[in-house]
Amino acid sequence: MSIIVIAIASESGVPIFSKKAGNNENIQFSTIASLHGINMFTKCHNLQMINTLVDNGTILWKEYCKSVTLIGIATGGLECDLELLLSCIHDVMVFCIGKKELENLKNLDQIKRDLRQCYPILDHLLESLDPNNVPRSTIVLDFIQSFLCPQAQQLQQVLDNYAQSVTGRWACLTIHGHLVATSSDFCELDPRETRLLLLLAAAQDGAPLRDTLVYLPQMSPNVAFRAVTCKLLADVYVLVICGATPALSQIDELVLQCWEGYAQIIKEAKLVYPRNFPLSVTFDSALLGLLVINVCKRRCVFSRHLHPNQKSRGMSGVHRIDILRTFYVTTAKDLAPELKIVEAEENDTDVVVSETYWCSEYHKCHAQRSGSLLCCALYAPTVPTHTMRLLTNQIILDLSTNKEIYW
Amino acid sequence: MNTFKNKISYESPCDSDNDWTNSSDDSKYSDTESSVPEWDSDIGEDGELVYIKTKVNNEVTDNSKTPLLESCETFKLRSDFKRTSTRRSTRGKIFKVLKNRKHKVKDNGNDKKKDLEDNNKFLIIQVSKNMIFSSDKNCQIEKLFGISLETHTDGKTLVVADFLPEAKAIYIPKVKSGYYLLKINGIEVTSYNINNVLQRVVEDIENPKLTFQVVTEGLNIDIEKLLTPKNAPENSTIQLLKDSMCSALYMCGNDVEYPSNDDKGVLYCFPRPFNQNFLYNTRGAYLTLNHLAPKSLGTSEPLISTVFHKNQLINVTYASHCNDLLLIAIPNDKIDAFASKRIINDIVKVLDLLYGSLKMCFTKPNNVDKLDSLFSRIFVSLLFGNKCKDKTDNINVCFEETLAARTLSLPLEVKIQLDDAITELEAADYREWTDDVENFQRLYTVIGACLYYSGHLLSSHLQDEDLKEINAYLKLNGILSLSTEKDIERLVIWKEVFIHEHRKQNKIESNEYRIPDGRWFLLVVGKGHFVLATLMEAGGCTEDAVGVTPPSPFYVEECESCLELLFDVGLNKYLPSWFSSNSQPQVETSPQCLTKHGRKTRDNTSTKADHKNPITKHPKHQSDMKRRHNSSDQINSGSTSEINNYQSTSQHNLYAQWYNGPQKQYRHSSIDVSYSEDSGSVKSNSEISDDRVAGRRADREQKHRRESSGSDSDWDKQDGSRSSNIDMSDIRKSLLEELDHVTVQRITAGEENVLFHFIQLESEKGVLIAPVRNIELQANNALYTHIVKTFRSACKKIHELLQHSIKFKKNHAPSNPLNKILVAVKEYGMLFEAPPEILHQCGISRKNCEPFHFWVVGRVFSEPEPRELYLCYHESVPQDITEIAYLLSYLE
């Protein structure tokens, strides 16, 4: 599998960057020029290339802000929503340098230099598509990876308090790159912005306290905010978006004030990882992996360590993630029609899929949706299909009634 | 042409035509026998022929005006077969001599006039003078006639736009919006003179008479007309294709090869002019991409590009051949990307079949006109082929049609009939026809044939690849849809083709199993709703075809008589009723019956429900339907189970000939022996048939005796004496009786039939089994239509996913790595919920509306060769798809 993303200034044709993931060779300048040429040429003839399919792959051109063209090439049987990926990458670009800069593209060399700071984020994003390693922060591009812990409600109060003290509104807590708790206003942020913040935190791994100028693509694409990431414990970060004040040194003190007493709670919450579900939720032993999605909140929880004290049999964890991800991208996404970017393609709005499944030689997958909960479950191949339905149904029932679950 | 001349020496002494014609009792033959065939003048200069005559126009009868054979000196008799063919003997028909055909241009004015009239059906409506319609627009024509008009794009013709509510009763259903208003009181009206004419109408005391021109689908396109090579596609057709953004383009990668070409490497472009063709204008993009993708990006060549042009999504598909590139553009609202990808493959197949390779096709001199009409046929049949669909629905080619030749399960009895007829054609056994068969060389060997009825493949004796190509040819040229929609009186198509095996052989030189270096011809004949495509080989043991090779009247007649035979056995009557019987396996066409509410209503008014279902005409089936069993019963239990019933009706027949006792066996073999032993002195016709009747009658009596004795052995139930020696009328009877015996097959588990639709696809063979094409019409049910529509779109998705597994199994190290997870997926299911509005339409009131769920499941069976099964069933009973596949395979 491989994926290539190229950014080109639409007007001048100057390549801005090209990023790749996977086992392909670096793309040559002449190729970039030709690809851009195709797009320019068709545009002259009032024709827009929407999408090109090759055997096991896709080539996609997308122009954003009338100034930047992104070209995405996915090959080798990689199943991903290329269009969504490109729009994410565009978001990252806006996040780093702001929409205005990107639209004007006045000093291209300067912009290219500025964009360098988003490379780690881009790398993170592309890397997460690679089936061969465990993605740290993003399993599926549509959702923010989180985990469910009973402490979330308590932590929310702390976050509210913290946000107030730094004169910000939006704050969240991440553990191992998973969104664990948010301040109560956090939902005002677009899910795409949330994801960018998480990616930022992941890309700045290791720094104890740092602030970055960020443009929120939806909320304020032209006015920069300050995103402050602070490491509380190992793998535990607290993120807040605030204005120019207070200074970083002050924030350092404020963090200490706010969070000092909650180390124990955070440690407790940390124990939920890697199961990612509270221990009060139990699962059938035939269940090998689980991806639970809250469609409304755009959050997902993934787990492959469902059974305590049980050695994982056969399938490796990476493989399980890959199966569930592929299952979601190719199949289960139909259950959440509201996530489709463009409705233009087919107007089957009246067609409602409520369940879907796969049987392969080595596993079975089943997805069922109930309200905003979408549950993709990975089972052993020995489970009969109709049993699978019962089990998934039970999982959804358990999750929606469990008192310890707080999205 | 001259190939026959050197055969004169073979003429047998008995060569008077009158000998045959006198004894003929069939007017059809007497007509053609002594003359050139009616299609003779349609033969093109290259020897190819397309001759179509449909039964709509009865006024064009075949009043023979052809010259007598005797007067044509150029007629050379190749041989004269005195044939008492098994299939003709009972009718006492004698066949005409095989003759050389002669180029003689006859005026065929009749046909042309007929074509015109077909497009110009007129409707006359008389409107009462006393009627005054209230028009809020104060428009004269609305007041007088209650219709509103608009002008056609030509600026002149008046088109009916709408009817006022009060006027609807007068016009509908005869006149539809879109028809042209041609005349008022016999005066032709246009947008220019309409006001004057109306003025006169007002003054006139008579009731005005309106003449409308019928416009089908708002388009004056006749596939029949397009098929005939003489008619170049009309400008209006081409304009229409231009407007709908259909386009074809062929470019060579290397200009140097064609120095004479001054179009920058474009060898073919349709529709023209070049500069108005968007594909031509933007060809650089596709060409660059086609080079770039494999070389610099490391992907495969592009398959399809979706582009947005003039507010329309268009799918541009690629097919490269050596350095050259063929592009086909089809608008997405008519044909989606899924179908487009497959259509270009079909187009390439057709072009390969007709010309040997893409390069040959587009570099052949003077071929542009033919390609134009071919592509206009292809596009027209793709875009406007499905006339039955209403306009608002996008005419996406349905899933079944794009993948393979559609076939359906037939009773074994019928299958044998069909195969028998085709086999006899293929065998070309003329021994009983002439005394010394050894002295004659044949013109052609029949290497295979396939038979269609109403667009469904009934039987194929072709190699898989040949079948796929011929099926694509018939489908894209609209011949299949023509045979579905119209009753064909006569259809003869003759084309030289390049068969797959031959093309492949040219590429790989291997000495084993070489096919002869010959030429191949495709002969398509049609009658009624039957279409028979025969592949013939000249070369090897037959005479070599040299130069221009027009169709041989003899072989055309051979094929026609093969169809004739199917009519004789009554298949033309049997098949329509079989098609509407919905029995093998039965699908549930009134899905609302599976809801709680539906069950209640059905129980209350069971008679009404039965009335809907065509099978229940036969009382037996009612009981079949009512009978409830679970799936294990179906397989295991005794004679009451449907599966067993089925076996007794058809499966066992296969063996009946062997089981029916030694006496009969002897009889069969004795006849065979008499043929082969002394071919010189065959028994006289009458002797044989007497013998047969005696044999059959004896059989029948024996059967009656058995039945009356109350024996219930499976073997005895059926009349097993079917063989090619039987009197035709008897077969017909037995066939039609057979239909009464049709048992309803059910392949799903559970008490009720929960199966809505199924497709079994064998992509290697190029065939798929599904319920008949018009099952939706038969059902006439909004919920069913919704279900089938959902099923089809889901199948596309499932099919795409399952291809990973099929590709992987076929080729373990594919050049483009596959997704390693998807290659293992062998079953994919989706559960759908029917929207409440549609349930409401089917009489399920909102208050007792429970959710209606149905599954669409697809599974691939990879052994022995990939087979995909798609099912659509109600959620109430869990089904094991493997078991269903197993039961379904029993029906074949």
Side-chain angles (χ1 to χ4, degrees):
Chain A
M1 86 103 218
S2 78
I3 188 151
I4 305 168
V5 178
I6 303 160
I8 303 175
S10 294
E11 206 110 301
S12 57
V14 178
I16 297 171
F17 64 79
S18 101
K19 289 268 145 209
K20 61 151 195 152
N23 45 9
N24 55 326
E25 283 172 27
N26 261 326
I27 196 152
Q28 289 182 350
F29 180 73
S30 60
T31 314
I32 296 176
S34 302
L35 283 170
H36 181 61
I38 291 172
N39 191 40
M40 289 305 285
F41 173 66
T42 49
K43 240 172 36 180
C44 289
H45 284 91
N46 258 330
L47 187 131
Q48 193 192 341
M49 274 255 184
I50 306 265
N51 186 8
T52 298
L53 295 181
V54 297
D55 215 6
N56 299 318
T58 317
I59 305 173
L60 192 71
W61 283 263
K62 242 2 206 172
E63 193 177 323
Y64 294 96
C65 309
K66 290 188 177 170
S67 61
V68 178
T69 305
L70 294 181
I71 304 170
I73 302 150
T75 53
L78 176 77
E79 293 292 340
C80 78
D81 191 333
L82 198 55
E83 195 171 349
L84 183 62
L85 178 71
L86 291 190
S87 91
C88 283
I89 288 173
H90 174 247
D91 281 346
V92 173
M93 290 165 80
V94 173
F95 187 66
C96 289
I97 66 168
K99 201 177 175 189
K100 216 175 185 175
E101 287 283 298
L102 214 55
E103 270 172 356
N104 293 335
L105 281 186
K106 261 190 190 143
N107 187 350
L108 205 61
D109 281 337
Q110 181 62 42
I111 285 172
K112 272 162 94 171
R113 235 171 288 140
D114 289 347
L115 278 174
R116 254 180 225 155
Q117 56 168 316
C118 75
Y119 287 1
I121 303 182
L122 291 181
D123 288 337
H124 256 279
L125 202 59
L126 293 179
E127 196 181 77
S128 65
L129 298 167
D130 191 345
N132 296 320
N133 55 9
V134 185
R136 273 168 291 182
S137 55
T138 317
I139 284 185
V140 278
L141 289 173
D142 307 83
F143 303 107
I144 300 146
Q145 203 168 338
S146 19
F147 68 64
L148 300 172
C149 63
Q151 292 81 7
Q153 222 161 347
Q154 233 176 323
L155 289 170
Q156 185 181 0
Q157 286 165 7
V158 188
L159 279 167
D160 279 341
N161 186 21
Y162 171 64
Q164 221 162 23
S165 60
V166 297
T167 64
R169 294 184 69 180
W170 309 299
C172 65
L173 184 79
T174 68
I175 300 177
H176 290 282
H178 295 57
L179 186 70
V180 176
T182 60
S183 67
S184 33
D185 288 337
F186 197 77
C187 54
E188 291 169 7
L189 287 179
D190 192 272
R192 289 155 68 185
E193 292 162 346
T194 315
R195 183 177 38 234
L196 290 171
L197 287 176
L198 290 189
L199 280 168
L200 182 74
Q204 291 177 344
D205 198 16
L209 182 67
R210 208 163 152 178
D211 62 347
T212 322
L213 275 191
V214 295
Y215 298 83
L216 300 175
Q218 304 295 314
M219 193 154 316
S220 79
N222 294 317
V223 180
F225 276 86
R226 198 160 65 124
V228 181
T229 49
C230 176
K231 188 175 183 176
L232 295 181
L233 296 165
D235 299 316
V236 182
Y237 289 86
V238 63
L239 271 146
V240 70
I241 290 181
C242 57
T245 51
L248 212 53
S249 52
Q250 285 174 299
I251 293 180
D252 203 7
E253 288 165 21
L254 287 168
V255 166
L256 214 63
Q257 271 175 31
C258 292
W259 292 94
E260 213 173 10
Y262 298 95
Q264 197 49 43
I265 294 180
I266 294 173
K267 275 179 188 158
E268 275 169 30
K270 229 180 131 181
L271 289 176
V272 174
Y273 181 86
R275 193 173 189 259
N276 298 352
F277 287 99
L279 278 168
S280 57
V281 187
T282 52
F283 299 103
D284 190 278
S285 62
L287 191 72
L288 303 179
L290 187 64
L291 177 67
V292 178
I293 292 162
N294 188 326
V295 182
C296 293
K297 298 211 162 170
R298 300 282 194 279
R299 284 165 74 175
C300 71
V301 181
F302 171 80
S303 178
R304 58 200 160 94
H305 303 273
L306 296 161
H307 313 293
N309 316 320
Q310 190 182 4
K311 272 177 85 182
S312 64
R313 304 160 301 182
M315 226 179 280
S316 77
V318 183
H319 191 51
R320 287 187 206 179
I321 293 179
D322 198 22
I323 291 172
L324 274 176
R325 173 174 47 204
T326 315
F327 176 64
Y328 170 75
V329 172
T330 59
T331 306
K333 208 174 175 179
D334 294 344
L335 270 64
E338 60 262 55
L339 296 174
K340 279 188 188 148
I341 303 177
V342 262
E343 274 298 302
E345 222 176 279
E346 263 170 70
N347 45 355
D348 321 313
T349 39
D350 54 339
V351 177
V352 185
V353 192
S354 46
E355 275 178 55
T356 182
Y357 75 86
W358 270 5
C359 299
S360 104
E361 277 149 56
Y362 315 107
H363 62 263
K364 285 187 177 186
C365 288
H366 181 244
Q368 188 176 353
R369 182 170 176 180
S370 151
S372 68
L373 269 196
L374 170 60
C375 175
C376 304
L378 174 70
Y379 294 99
T382 45
V383 180
T385 307
H386 47 270
T387 316
M388 217 156 61
R389 294 186 66 192
L390 296 175
L391 290 176
T392 317
N393 204 3
Q394 190 56 47
I395 293 170
I396 290 186
L397 213 67
D398 285 354
L399 290 179
S400 51
T401 51
N402 194 306
K403 291 267 164 37
E404 288 193 347
I405 285 178
Y406 185 76
W407 286 92
Chain B
M1 245 340 52
N2 298 330
T3 50
F4 303 115
K5 287 206 172 150
N6 50 8
K7 294 289 161 198
I8 297 168
S9 57
Y10 293 137
E11 274 180 37
S12 99
C14 164
D15 60 352
S16 157
D17 287 306
N18 293 332
D19 280 1
W20 321 116
T21 42
N22 287 348
S23 56
S24 165
D25 60 353
D26 192 333
S27 59
K28 255 175 273 162
Y29 288 92
S30 66
D31 177 42
T32 45
E33 246 167 62
S34 55
S35 62
V36 288
E38 51 182 342
W39 39 261
D40 186 83
S41 63
D42 287 353
I43 296 172
E45 279 176 8
D46 48 1
E48 296 190 340
L49 165 73
V50 176
Y51 178 88
I52 304 166
K53 200 165 155 191
T54 49
K55 267 186 191 153
V56 194
N57 320 280
N58 291 325
E59 75 278 5
V60 188
T61 45
D62 187 21
N63 40 2
S64 177
K65 63 275 167 185
T66 42
L68 288 173
L69 177 68
E70 287 88 295
S71 58
C72 303
E73 284 171 7
T74 41
F75 270 61
K76 297 299 169 205
L77 304 177
R78 183 171 184 246
S79 70
D80 46 354
F81 293 127
K82 184 178 185 177
R83 178 170 183 177
T84 51
S85 154
T86 47
R87 90 175 88 110
R88 292 176 196 100
S89 55
T90 48
R91 315 198 103 217
K93 209 180 297 157
I94 312 278
F95 260 62
K96 59 174 273 195
V97 289
L98 181 65
K99 65 205 169 207
N100 190 357
R101 63 157 289 283
K102 150 189 110 91
H103 273 298
K104 187 162 182 293
V105 180
K106 243 179 334 175
D107 75 312
N108 231 0
N110 273 5
D111 286 358
K112 278 176 199 158
K113 228 179 279 163
K114 168 205 78 183
D115 281 344
L116 267 177
E117 262 163 53
D118 196 34
N119 279 333
N120 300 344
K121 260 197 215 159
F122 300 111
L123 265 176
I124 297 176
I125 303 269
Q126 193 149 23
V127 187
S128 165
K129 184 81 183 158
N130 306 327
M131 295 273 267
I132 290 175
F133 301 96
S134 57
S135 161
D136 36 288
K137 273 185 267 175
N138 195 24
C139 168
Q140 187 78 294
I141 191 134
E142 286 190 15
K143 273 187 192 163
L144 282 171
F145 307 128
I147 50 176
S148 62
L149 297 177
E150 57 190 23
T151 29
H152 190 252
T153 38
D154 66 1
K156 216 173 125 190
T157 317
L158 294 166
V159 186
V160 178
D162 204 5
F163 308 98
L164 293 184
E166 312 94 275
K168 274 187 181 161
I170 311 171
Y171 297 104
I172 290 175
K174 274 193 208 154
V175 183
K176 289 175 186 149
S177 54
Y179 284 13
Y180 300 157
L181 176 64
L182 219 62
K183 294 174 187 173
I184 298 176
N185 285 339
I187 307 165
E188 288 211 16
V189 288
T190 61
S191 55
Y192 311 130
N193 69 353
I194 178 79
N195 286 328
N196 296 338
V197 176
L198 285 177
Q199 195 55 44
R200 255 190 269 176
V201 171
V202 176
E203 289 156 11
D204 200 354
I205 357 149
E206 294 286 311
N207 287 336
K209 247 191 266 176
L210 305 182
T211 311
F212 295 95
Q213 184 183 340
V214 175
V215 182
T216 37
E217 272 275 291
L219 305 159
N220 249 331
I221 290 184
D222 193 357
I223 197 87
E224 216 178 311
K225 213 161 142 194
L226 279 170
L227 265 167
T228 345
K230 276 185 289 187
N231 303 319
E234 284 174 16
N235 285 336
S236 63
T237 314
I238 295 201
Q239 187 59 43
L240 192 82
L241 294 178
K242 252 187 232 167
D243 293 344
S244 56
M245 296 291 166
C246 279
S247 189
L249 189 74
Y250 188 78
M251 288 176 282
C252 64
N254 191 357
D255 289 28
V256 192
E257 282 176 63
Y258 312 100
S260 61
N261 183 289
D262 46 358
D263 292 315
K264 295 167 191 123
V266 174
L267 296 182
Y268 178 75
C269 171
F270 176 85
R272 286 178 301 274
F274 283 6
N275 56 7
Q276 284 175 24
N277 188 314
F278 84 95
L279 207 54
Y280 177 86
N281 290 333
T282 54
R283 66 189 186 282
Y286 318 112
L287 197 61
T288 312
L289 200 54
N290 197 46
H291 283 289
L292 204 64
K295 283 184 190 139
S296 306
L297 299 178
T299 65
S300 74
E301 282 168 348
L303 305 172
I304 181 166
S305 284
T306 308
V307 300
F308 190 71
H309 183 54
K310 291 193 180 161
N311 280 322
Q312 217 174 354
L313 271 183
I314 305 163
N315 292 314
V316 178
T317 44
Y318 302 70
S320 46
H321 172 76
C322 305
N323 276 323
D324 303 354
L325 178 65
L326 171 70
L327 294 170
I328 304 282
I330 311 173
N332 187 68
D333 58 335
K334 298 281 168 55
I335 311 268
D336 60 4
F338 177 88
S340 304
K341 271 195 272 182
R342 279 144 187 95
I343 282 166
I344 191 161
N345 289 337
D346 277 356
I347 290 177
V348 170
K349 273 187 190 138
V350 171
L351 295 177
D352 276 348
L353 178 73
L354 295 179
Y355 298 99
S357 74
L358 286 182
K359 196 165 206 155
M360 289 292 292
C361 166
F362 293 103
T363 52
K364 194 178 169 189
N366 305 323
N367 201 27
V368 175
D369 288 343
K370 280 211 163 165
L371 286 174
D372 281 356
S373 53
L374 177 67
F375 276 108
S376 51
R377 274 200 302 278
I378 289 174
F379 288 134
V380 165
S381 59
L382 285 175
L383 262 56
F384 313 107
N386 307 14
K387 278 186 184 162
C388 49
K389 301 255 176 89
D390 60 304
K391 277 187 212 163
T392 51
D393 200 23
N394 59 346
I395 323 175
N396 266 331
V397 180
C398 72
F399 178 73
E400 296 99 306
E401 309 296 328
T402 47
L403 289 175
R406 188 174 194 160
T407 173
L408 74 171
S409 41
L410 289 168
L412 195 68
E413 195 64 8
V414 177
K415 262 189 193 165
I416 292 173
Q417 289 275 355
L418 296 167
D419 285 337
D420 197 45
I422 300 174
T423 314
E424 198 173 332
L425 171 76
E426 287 164 339
D429 186 0
Y430 308 131
R431 257 178 306 189
E432 22 161 348
W433 238 34
T434 175
D435 290 347
D436 46 358
V437 124
E438 289 81 9
N439 287 334
F440 294 110
Q441 204 178 6
R442 302 228 164 95
L443 270 178
Y444 305 107
T445 323
V446 177
I447 56 174
C450 59
L451 179 72
Y452 289 85
Y453 181 83
S454 279
H456 297 78
L457 179 71
L458 296 181
S459 178
S460 162
H461 291 188
L462 289 164
Q463 290 206 12
D464 295 344
E465 287 305 314
D466 292 337
L467 173 68
K468 284 182 205 166
E469 285 168 6
I470 289 174
N471 183 62
Y473 172 79
L474 295 175
K475 188 172 67 188
L476 290 178
N477 279 291
I479 296 165
L480 291 184
S481 59
L482 182 78
S483 75
T484 314
E485 282 156 22
K486 291 187 179 166
D487 203 359
I488 299 170
E489 189 169 332
R490 194 167 195 189
L491 164 79
V492 184
I493 294 173
W494 173 261
K495 285 237 184 273
E496 174 156 13
V497 296
F498 299 85
I499 59 170
H500 180 260
E501 223 176 332
H502 173 66
R503 297 198 308 261
K504 202 177 65 192
Q505 185 176 281
N506 284 350
K507 279 183 200 144
I508 317 153
E509 285 297 325
S510 67
N511 292 325
E512 274 181 293
Y513 307 118
R514 284 187 68 86
I515 55 166
D517 283 326
R519 290 169 69 183
W520 290 268
F521 298 91
L522 177 67
L523 174 62
V524 182
V525 296
K527 187 173 166 43
H529 295 294
F530 286 104
V531 171
L532 175 71
T534 316
L535 198 56
M536 305 202 288
E537 179 178 84
C541 65
T542 73
E543 191 171 321
D544 286 331
V546 182
V548 174
T549 314
S552 142
F554 175 78
Y555 283 95
V556 173
E557 265 177 33
E558 276 291 291
C559 290
E560 280 176 339
S561 68
C562 177
L563 291 185
E564 210 48 53
L565 173 77
L566 301 175
F567 277 84
D568 283 347
V569 293
L571 278 174
N572 58 325
K573 295 199 183 72
Y574 174 79
L575 286 171
S577 52
W578 174 258
F579 275 35
S580 58
S581 70
N582 174 20
S583 54
Q584 269 200 342
Q586 186 194 28
V587 292
E588 176 62 65
T589 52
S590 25
Q592 72 275 18
C593 291
L594 294 170
T595 60
K596 231 181 253 168
H597 175 72
R599 267 175 213 131
K600 225 183 281 162
T601 33
R602 187 184 50 183
D603 289 345
N604 290 343
T605 57
S606 62
T607 43
K608 208 174 168 186
D610 284 349
H611 190 68
K612 258 192 200 165
N613 222 329
I615 323 132
T616 51
K617 275 177 219 150
H618 315 293
K620 186 171 178 230
H621 302 137
Q622 271 183 30
S623 61
D624 268 341
M625 277 177 59
K626 292 270 165 60
R627 200 181 298 142
R628 314 224 155 138
H629 25 219
N630 60 38
S631 73
S632 61
D633 275 352
Q634 275 182 19
I635 304 166
N636 302 326
S637 75
S639 61
T640 47
S641 119
E642 284 166 359
I643 285 296
N644 278 342
N645 259 349
Y646 162 71
Q647 285 181 342
S648 68
T649 53
S650 51
Q651 199 89 342
H652 293 173
N653 271 348
L654 193 58
Y655 312 104
Q657 290 190 0
W658 290 281
Y659 284 100
N660 264 356
Q663 191 193 354
K664 206 178 103 208
Q665 225 175 354
Y666 174 68
R667 190 174 54 78
H668 279 268
S669 58
S670 77
I671 289 170
D672 289 341
V673 167
S674 77
Y675 284 161
S676 52
E677 269 183 358
D678 46 4
S679 53
S681 58
V682 190
K683 275 189 206 171
S684 89
N685 193 4
S686 60
E687 262 178 48
I688 291 175
S689 59
D690 271 354
D691 190 43
R692 271 178 217 143
V693 171
R696 249 196 78 77
R697 198 171 296 143
D699 259 11
R700 223 170 20 225
E701 275 159 16
Q702 196 184 6
K703 186 189 99 190
H704 279 303
R705 241 176 287 135
R706 280 206 212 99
E707 271 173 3
S708 59
S709 72
S711 155
D712 55 1
S713 153
D714 276 349
W715 313 117
D716 297 334
K717 269 184 195 163
Q718 292 299 314
D719 177 3
S721 59
R722 210 218 67 77
S723 81
S724 58
N725 296 349
I726 301 170
D727 189 50
M728 297 309 160
S729 53
D730 271 14
I731 293 177
R732 172 162 43 211
K733 255 178 244 154
S734 75
L735 259 181
L736 294 177
E737 272 165 29
E738 181 85 6
L739 189 60
D740 290 341
H741 288 288
V742 161
T743 43
V744 176
Q745 303 296 327
R746 194 188 291 165
I747 52 175
T748 52
E751 283 191 342
E752 290 155 301
N753 188 9
V754 290
L755 182 74
F756 298 134
H757 208 285
F758 69 94
I759 295 171
Q760 181 178 281
L761 171 70
E762 287 175 69
S763 44
E764 291 291 303
K765 284 190 192 158
V767 295
L768 63 81
I769 299 177
V772 286
R773 196 180 262 154
N774 61 355
I775 189 81
E776 281 169 83
L777 282 179
Q778 278 181 35
N780 190 21
N781 181 311
L783 182 55
Y784 189 73
T785 311
H786 170 81
I787 290 173
V788 172
K789 196 178 149 213
T790 314
F791 172 65
R792 288 194 175 127
S793 63
C795 277
K796 287 180 185 169
K797 205 168 165 14
I798 299 173
H799 179 75
E800 294 275 27
L801 196 86
L802 295 182
Q803 290 316 299
H804 288 94
S805 156
I806 293 173
K807 267 190 217 159
F808 181 71
K809 291 254 160 63
K810 214 192 275 176
N811 179 7
H812 279 269
S815 51
N816 296 297
L818 295 157
N819 187 304
K820 61 184 182 204
I821 290 155
L822 295 181
V823 294
V825 177
K826 54 187 180 181
E827 187 175 324
Y828 178 2
M830 291 159 124
L831 184 72
F832 291 95
E833 186 175 342
E837 312 88 73
I838 287 179
L839 286 175
H840 189 61
Q841 277 177 38
C842 290
I844 295 166
S845 58
R846 272 175 220 271
K847 69 169 189 277
N848 45 21
C849 184
E850 53 189 320
F852 186 93
H853 288 289
F854 58 96
W855 279 108
V856 177
V857 183
R859 189 182 174 101
V860 57
F861 300 91
S862 41
E863 297 294 325
E865 50 188 14
R867 194 154 57 107
E868 289 155 60
L869 179 64
Y870 301 91
L871 288 179
C872 181
Y873 59 89
H874 191 245
E875 174 251 8
S876 56
V877 191
Q879 301 289 335
D880 185 341
I881 193 161
T882 321
E883 192 174 296
I884 291 176
Y886 175 73
L887 288 172
L888 195 61
S889 69
Y890 261 94
L891 302 181
E892 283 177 46

